[in-house]
């Protein structure tokens, strides 16, 4: 995995929440795969699949997602989120001339609903707005985090079937 391309701006809310960031490396693949699997557990709980079948499916899906992200977002920053010396999440972001695309943001289950995502998203929105750009993200229609995005000022700009493309343009949220 490539190193982050530029120095990270100061993300004050994330810093205050105790979050740290480092470029993801090949050594992080097992953690990133476990993190991905944790985001799909609820969905797979209703299947009749064995644990082995679930693990095989999740590994295949993680590998496909990872390859897709690397192909379609070649200039992205691939960051592992840390707190108190532990890896707790991931942030993938690509900064385009027109917008900052949040490719993926995820936290391990016991680090969700603690305000970390809110702090980081507000920082990312601030960064985009200060550059005169919007922040955008694809969100599954039934993702519980969707409510957070709406509360932060993101609006649906395109229906992509299972996903919606959401955007938070300068002046649309209560962020700065």
């Amino acid at each position: 995995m490539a190193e982050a391309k530029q120095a990270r701006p100061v993300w004050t809310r994330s810093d205050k929440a105790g979050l740290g960031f480092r470029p993801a490396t090949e050594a992080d693949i097992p953690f990133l795969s476990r993190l991905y699997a944790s985001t799909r557990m609820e969905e797979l709980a209703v299947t009749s699949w064995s644990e082995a079948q679930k693990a095989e499916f999740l590994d295949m899906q993680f590998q496909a997602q990872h390859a897709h992200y690397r192909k379609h977002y070649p200039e992205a920053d691939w960051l592992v989120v840390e707190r108190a010396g532990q890896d707790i999440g991931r942030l993938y972001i690509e900064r385009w001339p027109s917008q900052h695309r949040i490719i993926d943001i995820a936290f391990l289950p016991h680090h969700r609903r603690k305000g970390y995502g809110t702090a980081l998203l507000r920082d990312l929105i601030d960064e985009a707005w200060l550059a005169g750009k919007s922040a955008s993200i694809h969100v599954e229609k039934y993702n519980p985090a969707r409510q957070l995005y709406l509360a932060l000022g993101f609006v649906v700009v395109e229906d992509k079937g299972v996903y919606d493309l959401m955007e938070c343009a300068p002046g649309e949220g209560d962020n700065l």
Side-chain angles (χ1 to χ4, degrees):
M1 299 180 85
E3 297 290 315
K5 315 256 182 323
Q6 60 185 10
R8 175 181 68 81
V10 175
W11 292 334
T12 56
R13 293 177 186 93
S14 297
D15 289 345
K16 187 174 180 181
L19 301 180
F21 304 87
R22 64 175 175 75
T25 67
E26 289 299 321
D28 292 308
I29 293 294
F31 165 73
L32 296 171
S33 180
R34 282 192 319 276
L35 175 61
Y36 172 81
S38 79
T39 69
R40 305 285 305 269
M41 288 303 185
E42 226 176 273
E43 176 185 354
L44 293 181
V46 299
T47 70
S48 60
W49 294 354
S50 69
E51 291 306 310
Q53 288 171 314
K54 289 177 186 178
E56 184 179 339
F57 173 79
L58 290 168
D59 183 59
M60 179 184 64
Q61 290 292 296
F62 170 75
Q63 294 298 333
Q65 182 191 66
H66 185 73
H68 173 83
Y69 284 170
R70 302 302 262 170
K71 178 180 179 182
H72 293 283
Y73 302 99
E75 300 299 318
D77 284 338
W78 312 99
L79 304 174
V80 172
V81 182
E82 301 173 313
R83 187 164 195 284
Q86 293 186 325
D87 297 340
I88 67 164
R90 70 180 183 183
L91 169 66
Y92 302 159
I93 182 169
E94 186 159 296
R95 294 164 182 90
W96 293 333
S98 62
Q99 63 185 282
H100 287 188
R101 174 64 52 87
I102 302 164
I103 303 162
D104 199 286
I105 180 172
F107 292 94
L108 290 171
H110 55 282
H111 293 284
R112 296 176 194 154
R113 301 192 179 278
K114 295 184 185 262
Y116 305 146
T118 300
L120 180 52
L121 285 164
R122 287 184 182 274
D123 284 342
L124 295 170
I125 293 167
D126 283 353
E127 178 190 326
W129 287 9
L130 289 170
K133 303 174 188 179
S134 63
S136 64
I137 189 169
H138 284 101
V139 182
E140 290 177 320
K141 293 184 186 298
Y142 300 105
N143 183 332
R146 182 184 184 85
Q147 294 306 312
L148 172 59
Y149 300 131
L150 291 169
L152 291 173
F154 283 84
V155 297
V156 175
V157 294
E158 187 177 352
D159 184 327
K160 303 278 230 167
V162 174
Y163 297 91
D164 284 331
L165 176 59
M166 300 183 79
E167 182 178 86
C168 186
E172 289 185 9
D174 184 21
N175 204 52
L176 292 175

